[in-house]
Amino acid sequence: MNMLFKALNDPTRRQMLDLLRAGDLTAGEIADQFAMTKPSISHHLDLLRQAGLVDSVKEGQFIRYTLNTTVLDEMLSWLMSFKGSAVHNSSPPVDPPQP
Amino acid sequence: MNMLFKALNDPTRRQMLDLLRAGDLTAGEIADQFAMTKPSISHHLDLLRQAGLVDSVKEGQFIRYTLNTTVLDEMLSWLMSFKGSAVHNSSPPVDPPQP
DNA sequence: TAGATAATTAGACAAATGTCTAAATAACAG
DNA sequence: CTGTTATTTAGACATTTGTCTAATTATCTA
C-alpha cells in the first residue's frame, strides 16, 4: 500500500484523479489544467501509473490516461476496518440508571 | 485533507494506528513496538495528532494516546466516490451478440 | 530535596520529493 | 526529408521528511 499512499499524498495528483473521473484525458489535456511544466506533469502521471491508479495507452502521437480505481479497494477496506474496530477504553459518560 | 494524507503516508505511523485499534497506549508503550528512538516516535505521534488521527491526554507522568477515526470520514467518502463515479470510455471488450 | 522515569523540544543531517530547464523520442503533416 | 507537435527522460536544485543525539520539562518517589 506504500506506493498508493505516496501517490495520493500530493494535491496535484489527487486533482489529476478528480479530472479523470469525468473521462479519459491525454497528457497534454491534463497538463493544460495545471500551472506547471509538462515534465512535472509527466512525472506526476508516472507516479500515479506506478501506483496503479491510472493506465496509459499510446494513441498515435498522444498518450491517453485512464482512471483505474481497483487498487483503491485495499486502502478502502483498511480504512473502513478502523470505523468498525474502534475500542472504547474511556469510562462511560454517565452512570447506568439505578432501578 | 492534506495533513491526513501526509500522516498516513508512512508505514510507521500506519502501524501505530493499527496498534491503537486494540486500545489506548502510552507513548512509551508505543515506542516499545518499534526499533526507533523515542524522539522519533514522539515526532510521528505529533504528526498523527496534528492530522486529528489520535488524541493525547496527559495522565500523571504518562501521555495516553487514543485513536480518533472521525477524520477518516472525509477521506473515506472521497475514495468511495471514485468507486461510484467511474466513467467507461473504452470500447466494449466484445461485440454484442448477433441475433 | 535529589534522583529516577516519561516524554518532548531543539538542532543536525542524509534521503526523498517536487519543480524546473534542456535534450531526446516518436508521430504526424507538408 | 523537414519541421512541428506530444510526451518523456535526464539532470540540477531547493524543500520536505525521517531519523538521530543532546538537552529540557514534568512527574513520581525515597
Side-chain angles (χ1 to χ4, degrees), chain B residues 41-92:
Chain B
I41 297 292
S42 193
H43 175 239
H44 283 304
L45 287 171
D46 186 47
L47 288 188
L48 289 174
R49 202 178 40 68
Q50 280 179 240
L53 284 163
V54 302
D55 299 322
S56 65
V57 176
K58 186 151 194 172
E59 286 183 359
Q61 185 170 31
F62 303 86
I63 296 184
R64 177 157 301 272
Y65 282 87
T66 311
L67 192 58
N68 185 343
T69 64
T70 56
V71 284
L72 291 182
D73 290 343
E74 191 189 359
M75 186 172 169
L76 221 23
S77 64
W78 184 75
L79 288 174
M80 282 199 280
S81 70
F82 278 101
K83 302 299 287 191
S85 73
V87 170
H88 304 287
N89 295 70
S90 52
S91 319

Short mmCIF file of all heavy atoms in Angstrom, two decimals, chain B residues 41-92:
data_model
loop_
_atom_site.label_atom_id
_atom_site.label_comp_id
_atom_site.label_asym_id
_atom_site.label_seq_id
_atom_site.Cartn_x
_atom_site.Cartn_y
_atom_site.Cartn_z
N ILE B 41 9.67 8.53 17.63
CA ILE B 41 8.30 8.12 17.91
C ILE B 41 7.44 9.32 18.26
O ILE B 41 6.32 9.49 17.75
CB ILE B 41 8.27 7.12 19.08
CG1 ILE B 41 9.04 5.84 18.72
CG2 ILE B 41 6.85 6.80 19.50
CD1 ILE B 41 8.39 5.02 17.65
N SER B 42 8.00 10.16 19.11
CA SER B 42 7.28 11.36 19.54
C SER B 42 6.89 12.23 18.34
O SER B 42 5.78 12.77 18.28
CB SER B 42 8.16 12.13 20.51
OG SER B 42 7.43 13.13 21.19
N HIS B 43 7.82 12.35 17.42
CA HIS B 43 7.56 13.14 16.22
C HIS B 43 6.43 12.54 15.39
O HIS B 43 5.53 13.24 14.91
CB HIS B 43 8.84 13.24 15.39
CG HIS B 43 8.66 13.94 14.09
ND1 HIS B 43 8.94 13.34 12.89
CD2 HIS B 43 8.20 15.18 13.80
CE1 HIS B 43 8.66 14.20 11.91
NE2 HIS B 43 8.23 15.30 12.43
N HIS B 44 6.46 11.22 15.22
CA HIS B 44 5.39 10.56 14.45
C HIS B 44 4.04 10.76 15.13
O HIS B 44 3.04 11.05 14.48
CB HIS B 44 5.70 9.07 14.31
CG HIS B 44 6.75 8.77 13.30
ND1 HIS B 44 6.66 9.17 11.98
CD2 HIS B 44 7.93 8.11 13.39
CE1 HIS B 44 7.73 8.77 11.32
NE2 HIS B 44 8.53 8.13 12.15
N LEU B 45 4.04 10.60 16.45
CA LEU B 45 2.78 10.78 17.18
C LEU B 45 2.28 12.22 17.04
O LEU B 45 1.07 12.45 16.95
CB LEU B 45 2.98 10.43 18.66
CG LEU B 45 3.13 8.93 18.94
CD1 LEU B 45 3.55 8.69 20.39
CD2 LEU B 45 1.83 8.19 18.63
N ASP B 46 3.20 13.14 16.99
CA ASP B 46 2.81 14.54 16.80
C ASP B 46 2.12 14.75 15.46
O ASP B 46 1.09 15.44 15.37
CB ASP B 46 4.04 15.43 16.92
CG ASP B 46 3.68 16.90 16.90
OD1 ASP B 46 2.74 17.29 17.63
OD2 ASP B 46 4.32 17.67 16.15
N LEU B 47 2.66 14.13 14.44
CA LEU B 47 2.03 14.26 13.11
C LEU B 47 0.64 13.63 13.09
O LEU B 47 -0.29 14.17 12.50
CB LEU B 47 2.91 13.62 12.04
CG LEU B 47 4.20 14.37 11.69
CD1 LEU B 47 4.89 13.75 10.50
CD2 LEU B 47 3.89 15.82 11.40
N LEU B 48 0.52 12.48 13.74
CA LEU B 48 -0.79 11.83 13.81
C LEU B 48 -1.79 12.72 14.56
O LEU B 48 -2.96 12.83 14.18
CB LEU B 48 -0.68 10.47 14.51
CG LEU B 48 0.02 9.36 13.71
CD1 LEU B 48 0.20 8.11 14.56
CD2 LEU B 48 -0.77 9.02 12.44
N ARG B 49 -1.28 13.37 15.61
CA ARG B 49 -2.15 14.25 16.39
C ARG B 49 -2.55 15.48 15.57
O ARG B 49 -3.72 15.88 15.56
CB ARG B 49 -1.43 14.66 17.67
CG ARG B 49 -2.37 15.12 18.81
CD ARG B 49 -1.60 15.48 20.06
NE ARG B 49 -0.38 16.19 19.74
CZ ARG B 49 -0.33 17.43 19.23
NH1 ARG B 49 -1.45 18.10 19.03
NH2 ARG B 49 0.81 17.99 18.94
N GLN B 50 -1.59 16.05 14.86
CA GLN B 50 -1.90 17.20 14.00
C GLN B 50 -2.96 16.86 12.96
O GLN B 50 -3.78 17.69 12.60
CB GLN B 50 -0.64 17.67 13.27
CG GLN B 50 0.29 18.53 14.12
CD GLN B 50 1.52 18.93 13.33
OE1 GLN B 50 2.64 18.62 13.71
NE2 GLN B 50 1.32 19.61 12.21
N ALA B 51 -2.89 15.63 12.48
CA ALA B 51 -3.86 15.21 11.47
C ALA B 51 -5.21 14.88 12.10
O ALA B 51 -6.19 14.65 11.39
CB ALA B 51 -3.34 14.00 10.71
N GLY B 52 -5.25 14.84 13.42
CA GLY B 52 -6.51 14.52 14.10
C GLY B 52 -6.78 13.04 14.23
O GLY B 52 -7.87 12.63 14.63
N LEU B 53 -5.78 12.23 13.88
CA LEU B 53 -6.00 10.78 13.90
C LEU B 53 -5.86 10.20 15.30
O LEU B 53 -6.35 9.09 15.56
CB LEU B 53 -5.00 10.09 12.96
CG LEU B 53 -5.35 10.21 11.48
CD1 LEU B 53 -4.15 9.89 10.60
CD2 LEU B 53 -6.51 9.28 11.13
N VAL B 54 -5.18 10.89 16.18
CA VAL B 54 -5.10 10.46 17.58
C VAL B 54 -5.31 11.66 18.49
O VAL B 54 -5.04 12.80 18.11
CB VAL B 54 -3.74 9.80 17.91
CG1 VAL B 54 -3.46 8.60 17.03
CG2 VAL B 54 -2.61 10.81 17.82
N ASP B 55 -5.81 11.35 19.69
CA ASP B 55 -5.90 12.36 20.74
C ASP B 55 -4.91 11.96 21.81
O ASP B 55 -4.61 10.77 21.99
CB ASP B 55 -7.32 12.39 21.32
CG ASP B 55 -8.34 12.77 20.26
OD1 ASP B 55 -8.02 13.64 19.42
OD2 ASP B 55 -9.44 12.18 20.25
N SER B 56 -4.38 12.94 22.52
CA SER B 56 -3.44 12.63 23.58
C SER B 56 -3.90 13.29 24.88
O SER B 56 -4.35 14.44 24.88
CB SER B 56 -2.04 13.11 23.22
OG SER B 56 -2.02 14.51 23.12
N VAL B 57 -3.80 12.54 25.95
CA VAL B 57 -4.20 13.03 27.26
C VAL B 57 -3.08 12.74 28.24
O VAL B 57 -2.58 11.61 28.30
CB VAL B 57 -5.49 12.32 27.74
CG1 VAL B 57 -5.84 12.77 29.15
CG2 VAL B 57 -6.64 12.58 26.78
N LYS B 58 -2.69 13.76 28.98
CA LYS B 58 -1.65 13.55 29.97
C LYS B 58 -2.25 12.91 31.21
O LYS B 58 -3.24 13.40 31.76
CB LYS B 58 -1.01 14.90 30.34
CG LYS B 58 0.18 14.75 31.26
CD LYS B 58 1.17 15.88 31.06
CE LYS B 58 2.49 15.57 31.71
NZ LYS B 58 3.52 16.55 31.36
N GLU B 59 -1.64 11.81 31.63
CA GLU B 59 -2.09 11.13 32.84
C GLU B 59 -0.88 10.99 33.73
O GLU B 59 -0.11 10.05 33.60
CB GLU B 59 -2.69 9.77 32.51
CG GLU B 59 -4.07 9.87 31.88
CD GLU B 59 -4.69 8.51 31.63
OE1 GLU B 59 -4.04 7.49 31.94
OE2 GLU B 59 -5.83 8.47 31.13
N GLY B 60 -0.74 11.95 34.64
CA GLY B 60 0.43 11.96 35.50
C GLY B 60 1.67 12.12 34.66
O GLY B 60 1.79 13.05 33.85
N GLN B 61 2.52 11.16 34.78
CA GLN B 61 3.82 11.17 34.14
C GLN B 61 3.73 10.69 32.68
O GLN B 61 4.63 10.91 31.89
CB GLN B 61 4.63 10.19 34.98
CG GLN B 61 6.04 9.99 34.70
CD GLN B 61 6.65 9.16 35.84
OE1 GLN B 61 5.99 8.31 36.46
NE2 GLN B 61 7.92 9.37 36.10
N PHE B 62 2.63 10.05 32.38
CA PHE B 62 2.46 9.42 31.07
C PHE B 62 1.59 10.26 30.15
O PHE B 62 0.89 11.17 30.59
CB PHE B 62 1.82 8.04 31.22
CG PHE B 62 2.59 7.12 32.11
CD1 PHE B 62 2.40 7.13 33.50
CD2 PHE B 62 3.54 6.24 31.59
CE1 PHE B 62 3.12 6.28 34.33
CE2 PHE B 62 4.26 5.39 32.42
CZ PHE B 62 4.05 5.42 33.80
N ILE B 63 1.67 9.94 28.87
CA ILE B 63 0.73 10.55 27.92
C ILE B 63 0.04 9.43 27.18
O ILE B 63 0.70 8.58 26.56
CB ILE B 63 1.44 11.50 26.94
CG1 ILE B 63 2.04 12.68 27.71
CG2 ILE B 63 0.47 11.99 25.90
CD1 ILE B 63 2.68 13.73 26.84
N ARG B 64 -1.25 9.41 27.30
CA ARG B 64 -2.05 8.32 26.73
C ARG B 64 -2.57 8.74 25.36
O ARG B 64 -3.16 9.82 25.22
CB ARG B 64 -3.21 8.01 27.69
CG ARG B 64 -4.19 6.95 27.20
CD ARG B 64 -4.91 6.34 28.38
NE ARG B 64 -3.95 5.74 29.30
CZ ARG B 64 -3.50 4.48 29.20
NH1 ARG B 64 -3.93 3.70 28.24
NH2 ARG B 64 -2.63 4.02 30.08
N TYR B 65 -2.34 7.90 24.39
CA TYR B 65 -2.80 8.18 23.02
C TYR B 65 -4.01 7.33 22.68
O TYR B 65 -4.05 6.13 22.96
CB TYR B 65 -1.67 7.94 22.03
CG TYR B 65 -0.67 9.06 22.01
CD1 TYR B 65 0.41 9.08 22.89
CD2 TYR B 65 -0.81 10.14 21.14
CE1 TYR B 65 1.32 10.12 22.89
CE2 TYR B 65 0.11 11.18 21.13
CZ TYR B 65 1.17 11.17 22.01
OH TYR B 65 2.06 12.20 22.01
N THR B 66 -4.97 7.98 22.06
CA THR B 66 -6.23 7.32 21.70
C THR B 66 -6.50 7.50 20.21
O THR B 66 -6.28 8.59 19.68
CB THR B 66 -7.40 7.98 22.46
OG1 THR B 66 -7.06 8.07 23.84
CG2 THR B 66 -8.67 7.18 22.29
N LEU B 67 -6.94 6.46 19.58
CA LEU B 67 -7.31 6.53 18.17
C LEU B 67 -8.55 7.40 18.00
O LEU B 67 -9.47 7.36 18.80
CB LEU B 67 -7.61 5.10 17.69
CG LEU B 67 -7.74 4.84 16.20
CD1 LEU B 67 -6.48 5.26 15.48
CD2 LEU B 67 -8.02 3.36 15.99
N ASN B 68 -8.54 8.23 16.96
CA ASN B 68 -9.73 9.02 16.63
C ASN B 68 -9.98 8.90 15.13
O ASN B 68 -9.26 9.47 14.32
CB ASN B 68 -9.51 10.48 17.03
CG ASN B 68 -10.75 11.31 16.81
OD1 ASN B 68 -11.66 10.92 16.09
ND2 ASN B 68 -10.80 12.48 17.43
N THR B 69 -11.01 8.17 14.80
CA THR B 69 -11.22 7.85 13.38
C THR B 69 -12.19 8.80 12.68
O THR B 69 -12.47 8.62 11.50
CB THR B 69 -11.76 6.42 13.23
OG1 THR B 69 -13.05 6.33 13.84
CG2 THR B 69 -10.82 5.42 13.88
N THR B 70 -12.67 9.81 13.42
CA THR B 70 -13.68 10.67 12.79
C THR B 70 -13.12 11.39 11.57
O THR B 70 -13.84 11.60 10.59
CB THR B 70 -14.24 11.70 13.79
OG1 THR B 70 -13.16 12.44 14.34
CG2 THR B 70 -14.98 11.01 14.91
N VAL B 71 -11.84 11.76 11.62
CA VAL B 71 -11.27 12.48 10.47
C VAL B 71 -11.16 11.62 9.22
O VAL B 71 -10.93 12.13 8.13
CB VAL B 71 -9.87 13.04 10.78
CG1 VAL B 71 -9.98 14.28 11.65
CG2 VAL B 71 -9.00 12.00 11.42
N LEU B 72 -11.31 10.32 9.39
CA LEU B 72 -11.22 9.44 8.23
C LEU B 72 -12.44 9.56 7.32
O LEU B 72 -12.38 9.18 6.15
CB LEU B 72 -11.06 7.98 8.67
CG LEU B 72 -9.74 7.59 9.32
CD1 LEU B 72 -9.74 6.11 9.66
CD2 LEU B 72 -8.58 7.91 8.40
N ASP B 73 -13.52 10.10 7.87
CA ASP B 73 -14.76 10.14 7.10
C ASP B 73 -14.62 10.88 5.78
O ASP B 73 -15.09 10.41 4.74
CB ASP B 73 -15.88 10.77 7.94
CG ASP B 73 -16.30 9.85 9.07
OD1 ASP B 73 -15.99 8.64 8.99
OD2 ASP B 73 -16.93 10.33 10.03
N GLU B 74 -13.97 12.04 5.84
CA GLU B 74 -13.84 12.84 4.62
C GLU B 74 -13.07 12.05 3.56
O GLU B 74 -13.46 11.97 2.40
CB GLU B 74 -13.11 14.14 4.94
CG GLU B 74 -13.15 15.15 3.82
CD GLU B 74 -12.21 16.34 4.10
OE1 GLU B 74 -11.57 16.36 5.17
OE2 GLU B 74 -12.11 17.23 3.24
N MET B 75 -11.98 11.46 4.01
CA MET B 75 -11.13 10.70 3.10
C MET B 75 -11.88 9.50 2.54
O MET B 75 -11.79 9.18 1.35
CB MET B 75 -9.91 10.23 3.87
CG MET B 75 -8.87 9.55 3.03
SD MET B 75 -7.40 9.28 4.06
CE MET B 75 -6.49 8.20 2.96
N LEU B 76 -12.59 8.86 3.42
CA LEU B 76 -13.35 7.67 3.03
C LEU B 76 -14.39 8.01 1.97
O LEU B 76 -14.54 7.30 0.98
CB LEU B 76 -14.01 7.10 4.29
CG LEU B 76 -14.06 5.61 4.56
CD1 LEU B 76 -12.99 4.84 3.83
CD2 LEU B 76 -14.00 5.37 6.05
N SER B 77 -15.05 9.13 2.15
CA SER B 77 -16.09 9.45 1.17
C SER B 77 -15.47 9.92 -0.14
O SER B 77 -16.01 9.66 -1.22
CB SER B 77 -17.07 10.47 1.73
OG SER B 77 -16.41 11.69 1.97
N TRP B 78 -14.31 10.57 -0.05
CA TRP B 78 -13.61 10.95 -1.29
C TRP B 78 -13.24 9.69 -2.06
O TRP B 78 -13.48 9.58 -3.27
CB TRP B 78 -12.37 11.78 -0.96
CG TRP B 78 -11.63 12.29 -2.17
CD1 TRP B 78 -12.00 13.33 -2.98
CD2 TRP B 78 -10.40 11.78 -2.70
NE1 TRP B 78 -11.07 13.49 -3.97
CE2 TRP B 78 -10.08 12.57 -3.84
CE3 TRP B 78 -9.53 10.76 -2.33
CZ2 TRP B 78 -8.94 12.34 -4.60
CZ3 TRP B 78 -8.40 10.54 -3.08
CH2 TRP B 78 -8.11 11.33 -4.20
N LEU B 79 -12.68 8.73 -1.37
CA LEU B 79 -12.26 7.50 -2.02
C LEU B 79 -13.45 6.72 -2.58
O LEU B 79 -13.42 6.22 -3.70
CB LEU B 79 -11.50 6.61 -1.03
CG LEU B 79 -10.10 7.10 -0.67
CD1 LEU B 79 -9.52 6.23 0.42
CD2 LEU B 79 -9.20 7.09 -1.89
N MET B 80 -14.49 6.65 -1.78
CA MET B 80 -15.64 5.86 -2.24
C MET B 80 -16.33 6.48 -3.44
O MET B 80 -16.88 5.78 -4.27
CB MET B 80 -16.62 5.66 -1.08
CG MET B 80 -16.13 4.59 -0.12
SD MET B 80 -17.40 3.90 0.93
CE MET B 80 -17.54 5.16 2.18
N SER B 81 -16.26 7.81 -3.53
CA SER B 81 -16.89 8.46 -4.68
C SER B 81 -16.23 8.01 -5.98
O SER B 81 -16.85 8.05 -7.03
CB SER B 81 -16.82 9.97 -4.53
OG SER B 81 -15.50 10.43 -4.67
N PHE B 82 -14.98 7.58 -5.91
CA PHE B 82 -14.31 7.07 -7.11
C PHE B 82 -14.90 5.74 -7.55
O PHE B 82 -15.02 5.46 -8.74
CB PHE B 82 -12.82 6.89 -6.86
CG PHE B 82 -12.04 8.15 -7.00
CD1 PHE B 82 -11.65 8.84 -5.87
CD2 PHE B 82 -11.72 8.67 -8.24
CE1 PHE B 82 -10.94 10.02 -5.99
CE2 PHE B 82 -11.02 9.84 -8.36
CZ PHE B 82 -10.63 10.52 -7.22
N LYS B 83 -15.26 4.95 -6.58
CA LYS B 83 -15.80 3.63 -6.92
C LYS B 83 -17.20 3.74 -7.51
O LYS B 83 -17.70 2.80 -8.10
CB LYS B 83 -15.84 2.73 -5.68
CG LYS B 83 -14.50 2.53 -5.02
CD LYS B 83 -13.49 1.85 -5.95
CE LYS B 83 -13.79 0.38 -6.16
NZ LYS B 83 -12.66 -0.30 -6.86
N GLY B 84 -17.82 4.88 -7.34
CA GLY B 84 -19.16 5.04 -7.88
C GLY B 84 -19.18 5.77 -9.20
O GLY B 84 -19.92 5.41 -10.11
N SER B 85 -18.30 6.76 -9.35
CA SER B 85 -18.41 7.68 -10.48
C SER B 85 -17.54 7.31 -11.66
O SER B 85 -17.19 8.15 -12.47
CB SER B 85 -18.05 9.09 -10.04
OG SER B 85 -16.65 9.17 -9.83
N ALA B 86 -17.16 6.03 -11.75
CA ALA B 86 -16.29 5.64 -12.86
C ALA B 86 -17.01 5.81 -14.19
O ALA B 86 -18.18 5.49 -14.32
CB ALA B 86 -15.83 4.21 -12.69
N VAL B 87 -16.28 6.34 -15.15
CA VAL B 87 -16.82 6.52 -16.49
C VAL B 87 -16.15 5.51 -17.40
O VAL B 87 -14.95 5.26 -17.28
CB VAL B 87 -16.54 7.96 -17.00
CG1 VAL B 87 -16.88 8.08 -18.47
CG2 VAL B 87 -17.33 8.95 -16.17
N HIS B 88 -16.93 4.90 -18.28
CA HIS B 88 -16.35 3.89 -19.16
C HIS B 88 -16.16 4.45 -20.56
O HIS B 88 -17.08 4.51 -21.34
CB HIS B 88 -17.25 2.65 -19.19
CG HIS B 88 -17.49 2.11 -17.81
ND1 HIS B 88 -16.54 1.43 -17.10
CD2 HIS B 88 -18.57 2.17 -17.02
CE1 HIS B 88 -17.03 1.09 -15.92
NE2 HIS B 88 -18.27 1.53 -15.84
N ASN B 89 -14.93 4.87 -20.84
CA ASN B 89 -14.64 5.46 -22.14
C ASN B 89 -14.19 4.44 -23.16
O ASN B 89 -14.29 4.66 -24.36
CB ASN B 89 -13.51 6.49 -22.02
CG ASN B 89 -13.93 7.67 -21.17
OD1 ASN B 89 -14.09 7.52 -19.97
ND2 ASN B 89 -14.15 8.82 -21.79
N SER B 90 -13.67 3.34 -22.69
CA SER B 90 -13.09 2.39 -23.62
C SER B 90 -14.17 1.62 -24.38
O SER B 90 -15.31 1.56 -23.96
CB SER B 90 -12.20 1.41 -22.88
OG SER B 90 -12.91 0.85 -21.80
N SER B 91 -13.75 1.05 -25.48
CA SER B 91 -14.68 0.25 -26.27
C SER B 91 -15.09 -0.97 -25.46
O SER B 91 -14.32 -1.45 -24.63
CB SER B 91 -14.00 -0.22 -27.55
OG SER B 91 -13.23 0.84 -28.09
N PRO B 92 -16.28 -1.48 -25.70
CA PRO B 92 -16.68 -2.70 -25.01
C PRO B 92 -15.75 -3.84 -25.38
O PRO B 92 -15.23 -3.88 -26.50
CB PRO B 92 -18.11 -2.94 -25.50
CG PRO B 92 -18.29 -2.07 -26.69
CD PRO B 92 -17.33 -0.95 -26.55
#
